[in-house]
Amino acid sequence: TTIPFGIILTLIPDLSDHLQISNRGVFFTIFVVSSITIRFFAGKVSDRYGRVPVLIASSFLIGVSLTMVSLTTSPTMFYASGILFGLAAGMNSPTIFAWTIDRSNEMHRGRAMSTLYIFLEFGIGSGAAISGFIYGNNPDMFNYAFGFGALTAFVACMYLIHFHFFGKQRRY
């Protein structure tokens, strides 16, 4: 679910230019405000209903938001996708950290958290690199680059659904 984040960070400035939006920072402001706002509620929902159901919802919404970005042709749709991406990322990030803590051995929580951080950075970096390669400074390729991010989020969602409903491990 962090691959889409790398894609957003890398390609949104170019997409802003393509849509003739002069202030590139508006999308990121909308995204951050949405992300911070949902965090006040997402933690309680995650504690009450479980980590995996929140991760399923947030990864699905990340996929929907990247699909919206890939199809955007107007500033309104562009900003709406920023709101949705912010809400989804704001649900996803703290829940992943909480789930990691829940599932890790108390004696090895530091290792678990550092491993999580490594893979978060790997996801962001690989999302940036792959999307840059797909985009290749060709605006006709935006939909494929953002579509790739949507696909990764939907794959994560399917994995979580499988883990939650068919896994033999404890459900969180």
Side-chain angles (χ1 to χ4, degrees), residues 52-157:
V52 176
V54 172
L55 290 172
I56 290 169
S58 65
S59 61
F60 178 77
L61 291 176
I62 288 171
V64 170
S65 69
L66 267 283
T67 301
M68 285 176 64
V69 174
S70 76
L71 300 174
T72 194
T73 57
S74 70
T76 303
M77 189 170 178
F78 181 63
Y79 294 138
S81 64
I83 292 169
L84 187 58
F85 186 75
L87 294 173
M91 291 168 50
N92 192 275
S93 182
T95 306
I96 286 176
F97 289 108
W99 194 35
T100 300
I101 291 168
D102 291 346
R103 295 190 49 86
S104 64
N105 180 308
E106 191 173 320
M107 299 296 295
H108 300 293
R109 284 209 176 118
R111 290 180 194 171
M113 293 305 290
S114 64
T115 302
L116 173 64
Y117 275 112
I118 289 167
F119 281 96
L120 288 173
E121 295 298 326
F122 179 76
I124 292 168
S126 61
I130 294 168
S131 67
F133 177 76
I134 294 170
Y135 166 55
N137 291 324
N138 180 354
D140 293 334
M141 299 302 286
F142 277 128
N143 58 341
Y144 295 106
F146 288 111
F148 168 72
L151 178 65
T152 64
F154 289 133
V155 167
C157 182

